[in-house]
Amino acid sequence: MVEHRPVAGEDVDAHRRIRRYAFHAADGPDPEDEDGPTIGQPFGLYDDGTLVSIAKHYAFDARLRGEWVDLAGLGAVATPPAYRDQGYARRSLQASVERLADEETPLVALWPFETAFYRQFGWTTANYVHRFDCHADALTEFDVDSGTFHPVGPDDWESLEAVHLAAGDGETLSVRRSEQWWRNRILRQWGQDRRHAYRYDRAGTPAGYLAYEVEDGTLSVAYMGAVDYDALRALLSFVGRHRAQIETVAFERAEGAALLDVLSRPQDVECTLTPGPMVRATDVAMALEAVSYPDTVEADVTLTVTDPLVPDNAGQYRLRVADGRGVVESDPDTDSDARIGVAGLSGLIVGARDATATARAGSVEFVDTGVERTLDELFPTERVFLREFF
């Protein structure tokens, strides 16, 4: 019998060993927990009592179109080599999504080892990641006169959270961070070595922060937050001041290549774009009703949804929107306005792409000629950026 359940007792060590082999095999078979204090709930897929696949569930409050919703993080998804290619990974993913739906969590995100692998199971890329690599000298032109920098530690997490929330205002999938998350994920490298961390204060008020690592001549910014563009300039200037200690700098930004427009020598900065985290709806009706719609839009649209992972999600749904809220009901009898995969629908829900881009990717087929415009009005694109790694 195959069963999906929380991992407890002696299986906690087995879960840890499977995770370590999947993600840190080069470090050897050390059974110690590289994550430090446990964050998230470990789950396992058992076949006749044998642990054959694992995952971890994380719980977040995340912004979605200006409101806070429940977002699950799915991490540490792994199957030992002895049990691979037997369908266990698929069954584990399905069980996780169904469990989260039962817990009334409308969306689940993950960081893929391979985008194509999770795309086949209904996840879609939430946002792309712009990574910048440059010599520290390239950032010295951002120098600013006002404000001060202070080294901070885990006990300062509340002042950093205030900056983080201000920086993420209007940014879909920006999350609230708990004290434990700050202490063991932001300010530490997976619960072990402390990261360097500084807070930028302006007129006596926290306005920015940096958490970074220095290794082999490179300063790598793990997390940064700024309440406005001037604070961001101050953070980049601070990084540039390390030019006597380091050779290169690496950091990521949500606004992407627009940063190159304000550099006098943009050719000195390498900017790479890669697929980032992925997201999907756990339950179609629940996710559509969790969305805040534009107050000015009224609509009545019927969607035929397919889901390659969760059979209960497949079906025809009628979405009626008025006064910023949506009501969803199963409606197999009304003619469908569009046929859409759960991945394409998930991208619309979070605002990762509009209906036209979704159609271009082959994730939606319009039956009614006016439905494309209706979907664009219901689901305008958003600035989406999930910073948390799990």
Side-chain angles (χ1 to χ4, degrees):
M1 181 181 71
V2 177
E3 181 184 10
H4 183 261
R5 65 174 187 263
V7 171
E10 63 184 17
D11 285 342
V12 171
D13 285 339
H15 187 285
R16 184 181 301 131
R17 285 193 295 270
I18 292 171
R19 186 177 71 249
R20 186 177 184 86
Y21 188 83
F23 301 104
H24 305 283
D27 295 338
D30 186 348
E32 293 299 319
D33 187 2
E34 71 274 8
D35 285 353
T38 299
I39 302 178
Q41 185 174 16
F43 280 88
L45 188 75
Y46 292 82
D47 193 345
D48 288 334
T50 300
L51 184 61
V52 295
S53 190
I54 66 166
K56 257 191 173 184
H57 293 187
Y58 301 90
F60 299 103
D61 291 332
R63 286 186 173 98
L64 176 64
R65 300 186 179 276
E67 296 188 359
W68 292 98
V69 300
D70 292 332
L71 171 72
L74 186 60
V77 177
T79 301
Y83 304 110
R84 292 174 187 168
D85 300 322
Q86 300 178 50
Y88 288 127
R90 180 191 182 95
R91 297 182 72 167
S92 177
L93 290 171
Q94 179 181 346
S96 285
V97 171
E98 291 175 338
R99 181 182 292 272
L100 292 167
D102 289 342
E103 295 172 353
E104 299 185 350
T105 301
L107 298 171
V108 55
L110 55 77
W111 285 86
F113 77 93
E114 182 182 75
T115 298
F117 179 81
Y118 286 100
R119 185 181 286 163
Q120 69 178 320
F121 296 126
W123 270 268
T124 189
T125 298
N127 62 266
Y128 290 82
V129 177
H130 286 87
R131 175 187 166 100
F132 297 86
D133 293 270
C134 61
H135 287 281
D137 285 341
L139 303 179
T140 56
E141 64 187 82
F142 284 112
D143 205 8
V144 291
D145 296 328
S146 63
T148 55
F149 282 87
H150 308 276
V152 291
D155 291 341
D156 300 298
W157 72 273
E158 287 182 289
S159 66
L160 304 182
E161 175 68 358
V163 174
H164 166 68
L165 290 174
D169 188 22
E171 196 172 84
T172 286
L173 299 188
S174 173
V175 309
R176 290 191 179 106
R177 292 172 178 165
S178 66
E179 177 180 357
Q180 188 181 34
W181 196 265
W182 273 105
R183 288 180 178 274
N184 297 297
R185 284 296 169 85
I186 306 301
L187 300 177
R188 290 184 183 275
Q189 302 178 54
W190 294 91
Q192 295 295 317
D193 296 336
R194 279 266 305 276
R195 289 189 170 109
H196 299 285
Y198 278 81
R199 190 184 69 221
Y200 171 65
D201 292 352
R202 190 175 56 199
T205 301
Y209 75 89
L210 288 163
Y212 58 93
E213 303 145 22
V214 179
E215 186 176 3
D216 297 330
T218 297
L219 188 155
S220 299
V221 178
Y223 294 95
M224 73 164 70
V227 300
D228 54 32
Y229 187 69
D230 286 340
L232 173 61
R233 289 175 61 91
L235 296 179
L236 295 177
S237 170
F238 179 82
V239 172
R241 294 178 206 169
H242 287 77
R243 60 190 180 278
Q245 294 175 265
I246 61 170
E247 295 181 6
T248 57
V249 174
F251 60 95
E252 297 171 355
R253 292 300 301 164
E255 62 266 30
L259 183 63
L260 299 179
D261 291 337
V262 299
L263 289 168
S264 61
R265 301 190 311 277
Q267 69 274 9
D268 293 346
V269 179
E270 180 180 355
C271 177
T272 57
L273 179 67
T274 57
M278 305 183 78
V279 67
R280 65 160 284 157
T282 62
D283 177 278
V284 169
M286 178 168 52
L288 286 171
E289 290 186 343
V291 176
S292 174
Y293 297 92
D295 291 335
T296 57
V297 178
E298 291 190 6
D300 188 339
V301 61
T302 301
L303 305 173
T304 299
V305 180
T306 58
D307 191 326
L309 187 67
V310 181
D312 287 348
N313 271 333
Q316 193 156 291
Y317 298 86
R318 184 178 182 183
L319 169 64
R320 286 176 288 184
V321 174
D323 299 323
R325 307 312 307 181
V327 176
V328 180
E329 60 183 13
S330 177
D331 189 356
D333 300 322
T334 302
D335 290 340
S336 178
D337 296 311
R339 290 183 283 269
I340 189 168
V342 70
L345 183 61
S346 300
L348 290 178
I349 287 171
V350 301
R353 56 198 61 85
D354 61 18
T356 301
T358 303
R360 190 179 301 124
S363 298
V364 62
E365 178 185 352
F366 305 119
V367 179
D368 183 273
T369 55
V371 72
E372 180 177 356
R373 179 177 178 180
T374 299
L375 292 177
D376 280 342
E377 292 175 343
L378 289 173
F379 304 103
T381 56
E382 296 280 302
R383 180 181 177 184
V384 186
F385 198 65
L386 176 61
R387 287 178 166 81
E388 316 310 312
F389 187 81
F390 39 83

